[in-house]
Amino acid sequence: MIDLLAGFIQELRRAGLPVSLTEDLDAMEAIKHIPLEDREAFKYALAATLVKSAAHWKAFETVFEVYFSMRGREYTIGDSNADAELQQLMDELQSGEGEQDGTSGEGGGGMEALTPEELAEMLYKAMLNADEAMMRAVARQAVKRFAGMEPGRPVGGTYYLYRTLRNLDLDGVVERMMEAAREQAGGELTPLEERLERDEAEIRSTHIKQEVEAEIRRRLVADRGVDAMARTLRKPLPEDVDFMHASREEMTNLKKALQPLTRKLAVRLARKRRHGRKGSLDFRSTVRHSLSYGGVPAEPKFKYPRPAKPEIFVVADISGSVAAFARFTLQLVYAISGQFSKVRAFVFIDGLDEVTSFFEGEEDINQAVHRVNTEADVVWVDGHSDYGHALEVFHERYGHEVGPRTTVLLLGDARNNYHSSQSWVIKELRHKARHVYWLNPEPRSYWDTGDSIVGEYATHCDGVYECRNLRQLERFVEVLT
Amino acid sequence: MAFRFDSVPAVRTALSDVNYLSDEGIAGVVYLADRLQKPILVEGPAGTGKTQLAKSVAEITGSRLIRLQCYEGLDESKALYEWNYKKQLLRIQTERNTGNSGEAQADGTWKELSDDIFSDEFLLTRPLLEAIRAPDPVVLLIDEVDRVEVETEALLLEILSDYQVSIPELGTISASQIPMVFLTSNNTRELSEALKRRCLFLHIDYPDLDREKEIVLTKVEGVSEHLADQIARIVRSIRTIELKKSPSVSETLDWARTLVLLGIETIDAQQATETLHILLKYKSDIAKATKELATAGAK
Ligand SMILES: Nc1ncnc2c1ncn2[C@@H]1O[C@H](COP(=O)(O)OP(=O)(O)OP(=O)(O)O)[C@@H](O)[C@H]1O
Ligand SMILES: [Mg+2]
């Protein structure tokens, strides 16, 4: 057990969770107080001692599953006798149905003997009644039947998942549940009722998916071993996900992570402005307060200087590969716009357009970003990035508005499709502006390879930063303010 | 040392007896905190019952609740202790007036005097010290700890790991009984590793459907089972929409109370949207949710 726990904690560290030695010891101590057969309590005991950030919960759960939930015999917590359970459930279901066809009975392979139609029917019943045990049993059986897993086959879990789900047709089941709900309501549901019913059906469908996934992993662990499995499941934490290569699911998690991050930043920056610099002694105020201490200056008072806020111009490439990066940066900048006297946003591909008005008076930044992507006029010739032309347009139209209080923020990978760079524009801007920064979402090792010309622009900037993930973006924002 | 709770289910039952609906995770961490004598750092969205948890635990353990509300600029003198300057000055003044300003005695007198003015009588006890010195059982709640500056966190560390406070003039004061300690955070900034290491971590998220329904049923007078169920479902649905601020449990409760007052038994779309401003605070959120609720949902 101790060994297992040690391996588990090591894997957490490999997954990026900062588990200290104290926490390690706390976990060991904690599980002494938990009855071993209570798996939920066991899990929460480990979580409370080892995971100190909600953003890391998912990574924890995955590792936990691999190490503890999936080991049938070696780790006999809970349902190692699932087959017997399943048989019993099925008998119940069938007797409840009043079906006397005698397919079950002889013990052993009850579920195996089901026809595909019967299994589908069972799935439907399980979902309709939100019967947890039955849903799990069906999910297991489905994996056994449809996934086509063979020992030693070097295929990823997603392939098995796909094969299993295709056979289960969960969308079809959801529709059937909706039909049943409509029928029960006497024909029709109001849009609100329809929505609520669908929510519930979708949640149950997701639940089945998770059960299927868990079963696939359980079998993979049995086949390949815990360590190998943990390795394949290792995923970056949301704050480390690469903007340019995020999968759809990672993108959703990124969006979720962005909101608390911006809130955090806004609060922190507001504080920094107020308290950043402790000013000189405020003599008059100190003397005034000393009166209450019989003339002893017991409570020195200070002056707090309030520096002027900068204004900021964001100029962002929003072509395909870097669009997500531009989106997150714009969102972040607008979320902390209180820190600036003015924020203006410009987007380009090969043409350039100002989109400040999309953000102004719009409470919902997502909505604004959506408008940027659909309405901004950014294509000039062919819709391939042309930094040179975009910069020229920027200079011509807005260059005169850049002044000594302006910080210019350029966003993009500087992959210029071999057009001319027009880097003189940056040089010019830097003369007039307070600062010019460039943020590049590509790994530093790719810079200046192929058609990337970031180096040429860099010579005229106050700083060029690699910004591949939220963590780096957050760090840069601190520089900015 | 006697433990406060026998088992995780016992915690859960006791909490629900005082109308706090917990779940396996919440009860489990409270149970462990008692066993391991460790503070709990509770984090999560606004209005999910973080503060209430500390209050309820105080109630079920028959303890006095001592609360330190954190704010920006909170310092030692407000959190731990402070010397009562005014009283000290007065004391010195009195000494001066009662005569004997004779040089010979000055040294001895000063020693006596300083021993005197740095004694218990001149000590103003603030919440943290109060919790440590309490002879009776207490629960210490350090509320919204993320609002103090990182440097101020350091004030807490000694208490959180050793349950003691060092006062240079008096020495170290240790707790006579280990209090249960709750720290809450709205996560507006990253807390220091040092602080997190000393605590058990508990993330309280929005409750699931059944728990939210139970909360409504226990807290709102006159609400029917059917209405509570519908409320919980609609709130859950609204939380799936991408909003600036999702409805919290306290907002669910406010909404439920309103619906009961209006005598509504089954909520239709119109009633829902007309009362949406109780659930949501931003105009854009209300607009968005109104639109979403009028459509049949995903797909
Ligand atoms: N699990 C629960 N059981 C019973 N009541 C609850 C529960 N969760 C929340 N509440 C009720 O919701 C309201 C808000 O709770 P509370 O003030 O503790 O939230 P909080 O998490 O501390 O919020 P904030 O972050 O804004 O301080 C209270 O009235 C509380 O009684
Ligand atoms: Mg609170």
Side-chain angles (χ1 to χ4, degrees):
Chain A
M1 184 63 206
I2 298 292
D3 279 350
L4 192 59
L5 198 60
F8 172 71
I9 289 172
Q10 209 175 11
E11 180 55 33
L12 286 181
R13 291 200 180 109
R14 279 198 218 104
L17 272 68
V19 180
S20 72
L21 187 63
T22 343
E23 287 159 330
D24 192 333
L25 296 174
D26 286 344
M28 306 268 182
E29 184 60 31
I31 55 173
K32 286 187 200 154
H33 295 276
I34 297 290
L36 263 189
E37 66 280 2
D38 187 345
R39 190 196 296 178
E40 281 293 290
F42 179 70
K43 179 170 170 184
Y44 286 116
L46 290 183
T49 46
L50 298 172
V51 185
K52 304 289 169 86
S53 158
H56 297 160
W57 174 257
K58 210 166 169 208
F60 168 83
E61 262 197 322
T62 308
V63 179
F64 182 87
E65 203 183 305
V66 171
Y67 273 78
F68 299 111
S69 309
M70 295 177 171
R71 336 191 102 204
R73 254 153 274 110
E74 300 124 80
Y75 191 78
T76 43
I77 282 181
D79 50 11
S80 61
N81 48 356
D83 273 345
E85 254 170 52
L86 191 148
Q87 181 61 48
Q88 193 193 339
L89 280 166
M90 226 186 36
D91 293 346
E92 274 169 27
L93 178 84
Q94 294 191 335
S95 60
E97 293 266 277
E99 282 172 17
Q100 305 291 351
D101 56 5
T103 40
S104 64
E106 326 307 327
M111 203 128 184
E112 318 279 284
L114 289 178
T115 65
E117 291 73 31
E118 283 168 331
L119 188 68
E121 192 56 27
M122 209 159 151
L123 172 67
Y124 171 66
K125 287 268 149 59
M127 278 173 68
L128 194 65
N129 303 325
D131 182 337
E132 295 260 345
M134 179 79 78
M135 286 201 266
R136 183 170 318 130
V138 173
R140 288 187 175 182
Q141 180 58 220
V143 171
K144 206 163 173 184
R145 270 189 204 204
F146 305 127
M149 295 177 81
E150 285 163 26
R153 209 166 152 205
V155 176
T158 39
Y159 170 73
Y160 297 129
L161 181 65
Y162 168 75
R163 288 188 50 152
T164 311
L165 293 182
R166 195 184 50 188
N167 277 287
L168 283 181
D169 182 27
L170 288 173
D171 290 346
V173 180
V174 167
E175 286 317 314
R176 236 184 114 187
M177 288 170 71
M178 293 303 296
E179 267 313 313
R182 285 184 203 117
E183 219 162 276
Q184 211 186 8
E188 233 183 297
L189 295 170
T190 67
L192 179 63
E193 286 164 343
E194 181 95 5
R195 183 187 170 87
L196 297 181
E197 287 294 340
R198 193 172 286 281
D199 279 347
E200 184 61 37
E202 295 284 355
I203 282 171
R204 291 181 197 172
S205 152
T206 308
H207 186 75
I208 293 271
K209 259 182 230 164
Q210 287 164 346
E211 289 291 350
V212 167
E213 262 178 297
E215 177 63 14
I216 290 173
R217 284 193 203 157
R218 192 174 294 123
R219 285 164 178 261
L220 285 175
V221 169
D223 183 34
R224 300 178 188 174
V226 170
D227 294 336
M229 192 56 197
R231 210 176 313 122
T232 44
L233 287 177
R234 217 174 284 156
K235 285 204 191 102
L237 302 173
E239 60 265 39
D240 292 319
V241 167
D242 204 313
F243 291 133
M244 295 181 72
H245 302 107
S247 67
R248 186 122 61 102
E249 191 196 343
E250 284 173 333
M251 211 42 123
T252 317
N253 292 336
L254 261 178
K255 280 184 204 163
K256 261 191 227 142
L258 187 68
Q259 211 191 3
L261 175 72
T262 51
R263 207 161 38 97
K264 218 154 57 175
L265 265 179
V267 172
R268 189 155 72 222
L269 295 177
R271 254 175 225 165
K272 200 160 129 191
R273 281 187 62 76
R274 249 172 295 157
H275 288 281
R277 286 145 273 221
K278 202 163 207 189
S280 53
L281 188 73
D282 186 337
F283 191 71
R284 283 174 58 180
S285 174
T286 306
V287 169
R288 202 162 53 238
H289 276 83
S290 77
L291 293 180
S292 53
Y293 301 118
V296 181
E299 233 186 294
K301 296 283 170 186
F302 297 93
K303 292 177 190 161
Y304 294 99
R306 277 169 209 276
K309 292 179 176 181
E311 65 179 23
I312 186 157
F313 284 24
V314 184
V315 185
D317 179 358
I318 55 164
S319 64
S321 59
V322 294
F325 164 63
R327 174 203 167 101
F328 283 119
T329 310
L330 276 172
Q331 234 167 305
L332 201 59
V333 168
Y334 270 95
I336 57 169
S337 58
Q339 300 308 305
F340 309 107
S341 63
K342 186 158 53 160
V343 179
R344 290 178 67 179
F346 307 87
V347 294
F348 67 90
I349 293 180
D350 55 349
L352 177 134
D353 197 8
E354 173 160 13
V355 291
T356 308
S357 65
F358 294 175
F359 288 93
E360 276 169 1
E362 173 63 81
E363 274 181 46
D364 184 352
I365 292 184
N366 283 313
Q367 185 59 30
V369 170
H370 179 69
R371 286 186 64 196
V372 168
N373 288 327
T374 49
E375 295 176 31
D377 181 13
V378 289
V379 175
W380 175 52
V381 184
D382 58 358
H384 293 293
S385 290
D386 182 344
Y387 283 70
H389 183 255
L391 285 173
E392 264 183 330
V393 174
F394 179 76
H395 185 258
E396 185 187 302
R397 285 197 220 149
Y398 310 104
H400 60 278
E401 295 179 53
V402 173
R405 302 228 336 252
T406 318
T407 294
V408 180
L409 203 57
L410 295 143
L411 314 180
D413 56 4
R415 294 209 167 266
N416 203 28
N417 296 299
Y418 305 102
H419 296 295
S420 71
S421 75
Q422 312 293 6
S423 60
W424 60 268
V425 174
I426 312 268
K427 192 171 169 187
E428 191 77 356
L429 287 174
R430 193 186 176 189
H431 276 306
K432 296 201 251 177
R434 180 159 113 147
H435 292 297
V436 177
Y437 297 114
W438 193 293
L439 305 187
N440 191 336
E442 279 198 327
R444 202 173 277 275
S445 57
Y446 293 5
W447 294 7
D448 300 314
T449 62
D451 61 340
S452 161
I453 51 168
V454 66
E456 197 177 331
Y457 293 126
T459 49
H460 304 299
C461 293
D462 293 290
V464 182
Y465 296 83
E466 182 190 79
C467 248
R468 294 164 59 191
N469 50 43
L470 280 186
R471 200 191 287 276
Q472 290 180 328
L473 189 56
E474 183 184 5
R475 213 175 300 145
F476 170 75
V477 171
E478 299 253 357
V479 172
L480 187 61
T481 48
Chain B
M1 146 115 211
F3 296 120
R4 295 174 178 87
F5 310 110
D6 290 336
S7 66
V8 178
V11 177
R12 211 167 158 181
T13 316
L15 280 173
S16 90
D17 287 345
V18 296
N19 289 343
Y20 188 89
L21 282 304
S22 64
D23 59 16
E24 177 88 18
I26 296 173
V29 177
V30 170
Y31 168 81
L32 269 184
D34 174 40
R35 294 281 154 147
L36 304 181
Q37 306 196 340
K38 283 195 151 250
I40 305 179
L41 171 60
V42 194
E43 187 210 87
T48 45
K50 300 184 292 294
T51 304
Q52 186 62 45
L53 175 63
K55 291 183 185 169
S56 301
V57 168
E59 195 176 341
I60 62 177
T61 53
S63 312
R64 179 157 60 96
L65 183 79
I66 297 181
R67 177 171 181 166
L68 173 64
Q69 176 61 51
C70 295
Y71 53 88
E72 226 184 301
L74 175 77
D75 60 13
E76 193 174 20
S77 66
K78 292 287 172 292
L80 269 171
Y81 66 89
E82 184 174 24
W83 291 107
N84 189 340
Y85 295 117
K86 286 184 197 147
K87 208 166 161 192
Q88 286 176 323
L89 281 172
L90 280 176
R91 177 72 182 80
I92 297 170
Q93 206 74 36
T94 326
E95 187 72 12
R96 221 192 265 157
N97 292 346
T98 49
N100 78 46
S101 45
E103 301 248 324
Q105 282 171 315
D107 270 0
T109 317
W110 172 247
K111 168 97 181 51
E112 266 169 41
L113 183 61
S114 85
D115 278 353
D116 186 24
I117 62 175
F118 288 114
S119 66
D120 233 35
E121 192 192 339
F122 296 91
L123 190 66
L124 294 173
T125 311
R126 303 298 187 210
L128 295 182
L129 183 58
E130 189 187 345
I132 291 298
R133 300 224 296 187
D136 53 328
V138 296
V139 165
L140 172 61
L141 166 62
I142 304 176
D143 216 4
E144 308 190 6
V145 67
D146 51 328
R147 289 170 62 168
V148 303
E149 291 79 8
V150 185
E151 305 80 62
T152 316
E153 265 182 31
L155 290 177
L156 304 174
L157 298 183
E158 191 183 10
I159 293 204
L160 296 182
S161 50
D162 304 324
Y163 298 98
Q164 64 179 35
V165 176
S166 303
I167 302 178
E169 298 86 352
L170 290 182
T172 301
I173 300 177
S174 304
S176 43
Q177 40 92 31
I178 306 286
M180 289 204 79
V181 182
F182 291 81
L183 300 96
T184 74
S185 162
N186 280 323
N187 201 16
T188 61
R189 74 172 170 80
E190 209 60 54
L191 300 171
S192 73
E193 295 296 323
L195 184 98
K196 289 201 252 178
R197 260 202 311 277
R198 285 167 172 75
C199 300
L200 299 177
F201 183 76
L202 173 62
H203 181 81
I204 303 190
D205 217 323
Y206 300 116
D208 64 16
L209 187 76
D210 291 333
R211 191 154 72 90
E212 188 144 39
K213 181 176 153 190
E214 280 306 310
I215 295 174
V216 171
L217 280 171
T218 31
K219 290 243 155 164
V220 180
E221 215 158 307
V223 74
S224 71
E225 172 100 22
H226 170 73
L227 184 61
D229 184 66
Q230 233 195 341
I231 288 170
R233 274 173 206 278
I234 295 176
V235 170
R236 176 176 74 175
S237 193
I238 290 176
R239 287 199 190 115
T240 63
I241 306 170
E242 211 175 301
L243 297 173
K244 287 187 100 162
K245 191 184 166 306
S246 287
S248 67
V249 177
S250 35
E251 281 148 355
T252 307
L253 291 173
D254 290 342
W255 192 46
R257 290 192 186 105
T258 309
L259 293 172
V260 170
L261 274 179
L262 293 174
I264 290 170
E265 186 41 41
T266 297
I267 313 165
D268 63 29
Q270 193 192 346
Q271 289 160 338
T273 47
E274 273 169 7
T275 49
L276 219 47
H277 59 276
I278 295 170
L279 222 41
L280 299 169
K281 296 294 171 256
Y282 291 95
K283 255 199 217 136
S284 62
D285 283 355
I286 294 175
K288 206 165 177 181
T290 304
K291 207 164 92 192
E292 290 267 344
L293 288 185
T295 61
K299 283 280 144 64

